Amino acid sequence: MGLDISMPKPITVGHLVKQLKKYCRPTDIDFVRLAYDFAAEAHKGQFRKSGEPYINHPLSAAYLLSKIKIDTNIIVAALLHDVPEDTNVSIQEIEENFGSDIAIMVTGITKLGKLKYRGMERYIENLRKMFVAMAEDMRVIIIKFVDRIHNLMTLDAHSPAKRHLIALESLEIYAPIANRLGMGEIKGTLEDLAFPYVFPKEYKKVKYLRDNQLAEESIYLDQVIKTTRKKLLDDGIKVLDIHGREKQLYSLYQKLLLKNWEIDKIHDIVAVRIIVPDLTNCYAALGTIHRLWKPLKGRIKDYVAQPKPNGYKSLHTTVFCNEGRVVEFQIRTEEMHKEAEYGIAAHWHYDEKGKLKKVPTKDIAWAQELAKIQKEKLHNISDLESLKIDFFQNRIFVFTPNGDVIDLPENATPIDFAYYIHSEIGHKCNGARINDQMVSLDTALKSGDVVEILTDKNRKGPSPDWLKIVKTTAAKDKIKSYLNGAKRSWIKNLLPLK
Ligand code: MN
């Protein structure tokens, strides 16, 4: 499923306008038309590799945004997004015609001049620029996502090498950012479009496995949905929607890798999703399902009380249905559903009142942290690797004994945790308890673990071996700087001998 990327062919501005009429005021639509005319004029005579007129690309990006009913200013900026980079029209002219709000977004998405940097250096500089622009205005990354999605949809016109590069970058950089910002549908779309170009063989295999499973399960699932719907209604629960939701291919691939390709061990190839009006109905629905079918131990997940680090909220449970088959249910309110699909983009979504919501401060804080870190750390490709681990990898959340939530990358260790709390706790860390059990310091933490660090105030400091264990750059840096400091003070002690 993912984002609905179906598109009229050939696309025209009329298609976009038709879409906008569903949720915009006429004056906003006029503004969009103006931007279209301006961009079409600027790109006149330009063609894409596929032979299409260039304007079809920004128009398609704008069209994708209109499908998720996003604010028209973002759509205007999407229409203009390649104008300064690829035509003679400058940012100043865009500002004069469309105002500073639009000009700021377009500046953010425009790459650096072609002359200043080359090759890898240019690549890194462009990434840095994008991170900074994103921190200043989160709308930039939303445009970047649809730009990239449309580029992935039209990748076949490029050389195999370029295809691979664009697809790989989408998997490694853009999808993780979308994930981190809670934009589940956009992440899934980027991944599934890029997947066949990066791992063609695996793609075919996963698709084959999934299609087989779906064919086998579909009648059975229809029955489960029917039974569930009836039972929920009998219990007086308001159900806005109940449907089967297929797992996206790339995310299924990731799970298959973890489970040694044993597809029988994966229970959410199709999950049953239940949308209800409010929280009370969420928990009530969970109760109904558990009375109807026996839940699997340890598989009830309350992401409402404990949202995932990226803000994802839902109730999940896996139950034994008829014939001993195992089915996952996901229960959420409409609002949780929108947030889970569009993440921060939901904040520029035109809701019924046409009012715009505020972006959560934690997302802004994350983007600002990323912008700050890249300034100090992103110089070459290996820096990009560590940035990826710290910022883009799947995150886990663990607890301090006081119940504070700490958000760390997957496979982080108690030492990472200790350094996250405080450098001194890290340096003096001597042991750890996870959920009241003593563990070794290289144990990988899991979401939901309660972690207690044991310190020894007589401990001399971190062991150099810890550098091989820790996963976060912060812990690594603190250990290194301690060890370097220790070396220096050892040398200092020799100095008087001189
Ligand atoms: Mn573009």
Side-chain angles (χ1 to χ4, degrees):
M1 282 209 286
L3 197 68
D4 170 17
I5 54 169
S6 61
M7 218 174 284
K9 252 189 173 177
I11 188 164
T12 65
V13 69
H15 293 118
L16 175 63
V17 168
K18 196 173 158 204
Q19 200 65 35
L20 294 174
K21 277 188 177 154
K22 293 180 187 165
Y23 70 98
C24 298
R25 292 174 305 189
T27 49
D28 291 333
I29 298 177
D30 290 346
F31 191 47
V32 171
R33 276 222 68 129
L34 227 54
Y36 172 79
D37 293 339
F38 188 92
E41 181 62 31
H43 289 297
K44 205 165 158 185
Q46 293 181 339
F47 294 89
R48 300 197 87 212
K49 279 243 160 64
S50 61
E52 279 182 280
Y54 195 89
I55 187 66
N56 284 10
H57 163 62
L59 180 59
S60 302
Y63 185 76
L64 287 171
L65 288 172
S66 73
K67 284 210 218 185
I68 59 172
K69 298 192 174 164
I70 216 156
D71 172 39
T72 44
N73 269 15
I74 303 184
I75 291 179
V76 165
L79 283 168
L80 299 168
H81 84 267
D82 277 331
V83 167
E85 202 173 305
D86 296 332
T87 77
N88 298 322
V89 180
S90 65
I91 293 275
Q92 285 73 25
E93 281 167 82
I94 288 181
E95 178 158 10
E96 281 156 26
N97 284 278
F98 298 95
S100 63
D101 189 50
I102 304 293
I104 287 168
M105 278 187 271
V106 176
T107 309
I109 200 130
T110 302
K111 288 198 193 126
L112 295 155
K114 290 201 169 69
L115 293 173
K116 206 168 162 203
Y117 301 97
R118 279 170 207 284
M120 189 47 72
E121 199 186 359
R122 177 170 148 80
Y123 174 71
I124 296 273
E125 282 306 318
N126 273 320
L127 262 190
R128 298 176 60 151
K129 181 173 182 289
M130 189 184 76
F131 293 152
V132 173
M134 174 171 93
E136 279 166 11
D137 191 334
M138 299 288 257
R139 294 175 299 178
V140 167
I141 195 74
I142 300 175
I143 301 171
K144 190 69 213 174
F145 287 146
V146 286
D147 174 35
R148 179 49 60 101
I149 285 171
H150 187 249
N151 284 334
L152 287 168
M153 287 166 72
T154 50
L155 217 47
D156 285 336
H158 291 285
S159 67
K162 188 141 192 212
R163 268 183 241 166
H164 185 266
L165 198 74
I166 293 175
L168 187 66
E169 189 194 33
S170 307
L171 281 187
E172 299 254 302
I173 309 240
Y174 292 101
I177 294 178
N179 182 43
R180 193 62 174 73
L181 295 172
M183 304 162 95
E185 294 302 294
I186 288 176
K187 166 199 171 250
T189 304
L190 285 163
E191 284 179 345
D192 279 14
L193 286 170
F195 187 18
Y197 294 101
V198 181
F199 303 105
K201 273 194 222 119
E202 291 82 351
Y203 173 80
K204 276 198 198 116
K205 191 169 166 190
V206 175
K207 192 164 171 358
Y208 173 80
L209 282 173
R210 187 186 71 168
D211 290 350
N212 251 1
Q213 194 82 8
L214 289 184
E216 206 234 326
E217 271 185 19
S218 71
I219 297 170
Y220 177 78
L221 268 164
D222 286 347
Q223 205 54 49
V224 167
I225 289 173
K226 226 169 127 188
T227 313
T228 310
R229 186 199 302 271
K230 185 175 180 305
K231 198 81 185 162
L232 289 168
L233 294 179
D234 286 350
D235 282 358
I237 292 158
K238 292 187 192 77
V239 178
L240 297 177
D241 192 19
I242 172 166
H243 59 268
R245 201 278 180 186
E246 292 166 26
K247 197 172 186 61
Q248 301 222 227
L249 284 174
Y250 189 71
S251 107
L252 179 57
Y253 168 58
Q254 298 288 319
K255 212 156 185 178
L256 280 165
L257 289 180
L258 284 178
K259 308 265 176 190
N260 258 324
W261 290 89
E262 290 174 69
I263 195 150
D264 294 340
K265 289 198 177 148
I266 298 174
H267 304 309
D268 60 349
I269 295 171
V270 184
V272 177
R273 192 173 273 169
I274 303 170
I275 317 283
V276 295
D278 53 37
L279 207 55
T280 317
N281 279 292
C282 274
Y283 287 103
L286 185 69
T288 296
I289 287 161
H290 286 171
R291 275 198 303 281
L292 189 56
W293 288 299
K294 198 177 164 59
L296 260 74
K297 227 179 135 195
R299 294 297 300 269
I300 307 166
K301 291 171 194 153
D302 187 343
Y303 295 123
V304 175
Q306 297 289 358
K308 286 192 186 179
N310 70 0
Y312 177 83
K313 287 183 195 162
S314 270
L315 301 176
H316 287 195
T317 186
T318 306
V319 301
F320 294 105
C321 283
N322 308 333
E323 301 160 33
R325 293 211 202 193
V326 171
V327 177
E328 179 174 310
F329 285 80
Q330 303 173 351
I331 310 162
R332 48 173 81 157
T333 65
E334 180 125 69
E335 188 168 355
M336 290 174 205
H337 183 54
K338 260 188 212 163
E339 291 253 359
E341 301 219 300
Y342 305 124
I344 57 154
H347 299 276
W348 286 280
H349 187 276
Y350 259 70
D351 59 15
E352 300 72 45
K353 292 152 215 129
K355 263 196 295 184
L356 298 179
K357 288 185 252 166
K358 261 177 94 180
V359 182
T361 41
K362 71 164 183 55
D363 287 335
I364 298 175
W366 173 78
Q368 283 170 346
E369 177 78 355
L370 176 61
K372 198 183 105 202
I373 296 266
Q374 62 78 26
K375 238 178 244 168
E376 297 157 7
K377 293 240 163 70
L378 182 56
H379 305 297
N380 55 47
I381 206 75
S382 78
D383 297 339
L384 191 59
E385 286 299 319
S386 59
L387 202 66
K388 261 162 49 188
I389 292 167
D390 281 357
F391 279 89
F392 305 151
Q393 225 185 28
N394 286 336
R395 308 288 289 189
I396 54 164
F397 53 92
V398 294
F399 300 96
T400 69
N402 298 331
D404 292 329
V405 182
I406 308 282
D407 160 14
L408 291 167
E410 218 167 42
N411 297 320
T413 64
I415 306 174
D416 292 290
F417 178 92
Y419 276 103
Y420 184 94
I421 305 281
H422 197 279
S423 311
E424 279 309 305
I425 308 235
H427 295 333
K428 304 281 179 212
C429 170
N430 216 30
R433 266 198 282 262
I434 298 180
N435 307 325
D436 282 333
Q437 298 274 324
M438 283 299 296
V439 296
S440 64
L441 288 174
D442 60 356
T443 308
L445 301 176
K446 288 194 297 295
S447 262
D449 283 344
V450 178
V451 187
E452 188 185 347
I453 298 298
L454 310 173
T455 54
D456 174 0
K457 63 174 185 300
N458 297 320
R459 191 187 166 96
K460 292 243 167 60
S463 145
D465 290 340
W466 288 3
L467 287 171
K468 292 179 216 139
I469 300 171
V470 295
K471 294 289 178 299
T472 55
T473 314
K476 217 169 261 175
D477 286 350
K478 284 174 184 168
I479 296 167
K480 272 190 205 151
S481 85
Y482 183 96
L483 295 173
N484 288 340
K487 249 186 242 154
R488 265 200 301 279
S489 66
W490 173 77
I491 294 169
K492 229 191 313 175
N493 287 338
L494 291 177
L495 288 180
L497 291 174
K498 209 166 48 170

